[in-house]
Structure formats: C-alpha cells, structure tokens
C-alpha cells in the first residue's frame, strides 16, 4: 500500500508548535508525531549524540509508513538533516532559525535568535549565519535546558519562565530589539511568556519569527511538487513517544488542542 501519513519528529513536545501550523495548512492530511521525550533535551548534547538519537527515532517513525518526514526540531535539523535526506527515499523537510527572513523584514534594531546551545554551535547553523547581510545585527542567545525541561513537564503558569528569561534577556533591557527569532520549536509554546518579558523590558515590542511556519510552507510545496497532497480525508494525528505513553499522551493532546498556544 502507498504510505499516506506525514511523519513529524522532535526531541519532545516542541514539534507540536509546528504540527499545529501543519494541521491548519493541511487539514486533510494524516500525521504521525514522534516525540523522543525519553531523551529530551537534545540541546545540550554533542553532534554525534544528537545524530544517533535522531536517526534511531526517525527510523522507528519511518517504519510506520510515511510519504514525507518533517523534522520539527532545529537542533536535530542542524545535526542530521543531510543524513536523514540520504537515508529516506521520501521528501524530508527540516526546521531552521528564521534569521534570514527576520533580517530582510526588519529595517533597523537588533534581532535576538533564541535557541538551544547546540544549535548555536553546530556548523549548519553557522553556515546559515554566513548568509546574513549584517551578521552583527543578529545576536545568538543559547538558552539553558531549563526552558525545554519545564515545557516537557507541562509548566505554563504565568511567571514560571521569568527567572530563566531574566537570565538570558536581562542584558538587553531598554535596548531596541526589533525581532526575536524562536530558533527552538519548544519556544513558540511559551511565546506569550517571552513576549510579556520583552514588552515590559525592551524599548519596543519585538516582532516574532518562527521557522516552523517556513518549514510547513516548504512541506506543502514539496508535497504539491511530488503529487503527494491528500485531496480528501478528515485529517488525523497519531502520537508516538520513546517515553511512557500514559504520561506523555495527555500532555501532547493538551498542547495540540489548547487555544492558549495560538
Ligand atoms: N525542539 C528542539 C529544537 O527545535 C530542541 C529541544 C531540545 O531537545 O533541547 O531545537
């Protein structure tokens, strides 16, 4: 049988922010989401470790029968997208920090790129930075794993990220920060927290950029080019995890459905 599902992979729940756009853009498609929740976070690991975890997870996902694979993780994309493209004979789409769009879009001011520590040091991202016209405008903010750990535990109460945000953004108070690039797919899930901090402390409210949206547009384009778009169907989402299904499935469903994360 010809595979009809689109695989969506992340180290944990971050890819849900990308899956939410994908569902909106492609409502007739069936998605199988794989969260490597047991091994998250990836962002503090070596390139080799990230590659090996990503390959193992994506192989399990691919075995389910996929027509395309969306790597909804900036860290996994930076470390392994070429390996994944070589291994799987289907369209494979990565997610990358949207720094080029942010630079083209914003006439002045500084742009902050928030991501995992791994993304900021991996050669693929450093290559992407070389395409910037004025690299000095885009400041990388390698974020501590505390962000991802809290999101993975389902902590979203008001104020719960204030301390971490102070730690990474505290040095930019009263500065003209015109844009924030969410370079980790977990961070759109706490965009309201980041935005509240920025509005309170920066000179003006920054505009947000999310590479997940670009990734979904690329997915849609590749599906169309390869005649793989579903023309009928109600759409569905199946959840897979390397962790305990009873623990992770309820949080996954909540993150996917809650209007809080729009
Ligand atoms: N969501 C991932 C990303 O986009 C990484 C989170 C992690 O596992 O550290 O980079």
């Amino acid at each position: 049988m010809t595979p009809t599902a689109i695989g969506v992979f992340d180290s944990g729940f971050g890819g849900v922010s990308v899956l939410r756009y994908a569902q909106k853009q492609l409502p007739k498609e069936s998605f199988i989401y794989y969260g490597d929740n047991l091994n998250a976070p990836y962002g503090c690991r070596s390139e080799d470790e990230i590659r090996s975890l990503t390959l193992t997870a994506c192989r399990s996902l691919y075995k389910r029968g996929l027509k395309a694979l969306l790597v909804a993780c900036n860290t996994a994309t930076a470390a392994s997208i070429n390996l994944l493209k070589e291994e799987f004979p289907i369209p494979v789409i990565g997610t990358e920090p949207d720094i080029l769009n942010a630079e083209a879009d914003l006439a002045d001011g500084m742009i902050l790129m928030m991501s995992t520590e791994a993304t900021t040091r991996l050669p693929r991202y450093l290559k992407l930075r070389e395409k910037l016209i004025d690299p000095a405008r885009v400041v990388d903010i390698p974020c501590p794993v505390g962000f991802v750990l809290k999101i993975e535990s389902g902590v979203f109460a008001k104020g719960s990220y204030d301390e971490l945000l102070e730690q990474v953004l505290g040095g930019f108070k009263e500065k003209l920060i015109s844009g924030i690039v969410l370079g980790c797919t977990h961070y759109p899930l706490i965009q309201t927290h980041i935005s509240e901090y920025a509005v309170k402390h920066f000179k003006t409210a920054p505009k947000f950029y999310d590479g997940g949206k670009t990734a979904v547009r690329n997915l849609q384009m590749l599906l169309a080019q390869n005649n793989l778009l579903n023309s009928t169907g109600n759409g569905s989402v199946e959840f897979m995890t390397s962790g305990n299904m009873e623990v992770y499935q309820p949080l996954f469903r909540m993150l996917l459905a809650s209007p809080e994360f729009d």
Side-chain angles (χ1 to χ4, degrees):
M1 247 183 42
T2 320
T4 56
I6 299 165
V8 180
F9 164 71
D10 181 50
S11 62
F13 289 132
V16 177
S17 69
V18 189
L19 177 57
R20 288 172 66 108
Y21 307 134
Q23 276 191 300
K24 272 191 203 131
Q25 287 298 116
L26 302 162
K28 294 179 181 145
E29 301 294 337
S30 300
F31 298 93
I32 306 178
Y33 185 97
Y34 187 104
D36 193 5
N37 303 86
L38 193 64
N39 297 303
Y42 279 16
C44 50
R45 296 177 184 274
S46 70
E47 184 166 28
D48 281 351
E49 268 183 302
I50 300 166
R51 280 189 176 154
S52 146
L53 289 170
T54 300
L55 277 175
T56 305
C58 290
R59 280 175 188 149
S60 311
L61 182 54
Y62 184 73
K63 273 195 204 132
R64 298 295 311 274
L66 303 179
K67 66 177 179 182
L69 172 63
L70 174 59
V71 183
C73 177
N74 294 266
T75 310
T77 300
S80 349
I81 197 71
N82 290 337
L83 290 176
L84 297 171
K85 283 184 178 172
E86 274 164 31
E87 172 141 349
F88 304 117
I90 53 171
V92 176
I93 299 94
T95 305
E96 296 192 270
D98 220 6
I99 50 174
L100 302 184
N101 282 334
E103 186 189 45
D105 193 35
L106 299 167
D108 55 12
M110 211 187 279
I111 298 163
L112 304 183
M113 195 294 289
M114 298 175 67
S115 75
T116 66
E117 183 270 313
T119 295
T120 61
R121 73 172 136 84
L122 288 170
R124 188 178 169 95
Y125 174 68
L126 298 176
K127 265 237 159 80
L128 185 69
R129 277 194 64 95
E130 283 172 16
K131 295 188 186 158
L132 289 165
I133 296 163
D134 180 6
R137 259 187 94 195
V138 180
V139 179
D140 291 342
I141 312 282
C143 295
V145 288
F147 283 100
V148 168
L149 288 172
K150 277 197 172 183
I151 295 165
E152 287 291 303
S153 325
V155 176
F156 297 102
K158 202 173 162 53
S160 26
Y161 291 86
D162 287 357
E163 228 168 89
L164 283 165
L165 288 167
E166 181 63 29
Q167 203 180 311
V168 295
L169 301 179
F172 299 95
K173 284 182 183 161
E174 301 312 322
K175 295 239 158 73
L176 178 61
I177 309 296
S178 49
I180 293 185
V181 174
L182 301 171
C184 167
T185 54
H186 280 74
Y187 303 163
L189 299 172
I190 54 162
Q191 188 176 323
T192 49
H193 297 255
I194 302 171
S195 175
E196 267 176 37
Y197 183 95
V199 166
K200 200 163 154 194
H201 296 292
F202 296 167
K203 206 165 176 181
T204 52
K207 192 167 167 189
F208 282 85
Y209 295 85
D210 179 352
K213 289 181 182 164
T214 311
V216 169
R217 278 197 294 274
N218 290 340
L219 167 69
Q220 188 165 19
M221 206 172 64
L222 273 174
L223 289 176
Q225 277 169 5
N226 290 281
N227 272 328
L228 289 170
L229 281 168
N230 272 5
S231 51
T232 55
N234 297 325
S236 63
V237 175
E238 190 187 327
F239 177 63
M240 289 171 77
T241 177
S242 55
N244 184 330
M245 194 55 122
E246 279 167 36
V247 173
Y248 290 109
Q249 167 112 290
L251 189 48
F252 172 79
R253 294 286 165 198
M254 185 282 280
L255 291 170
L256 193 59
S258 171
E260 193 189 323
F261 304 103
D262 276 339

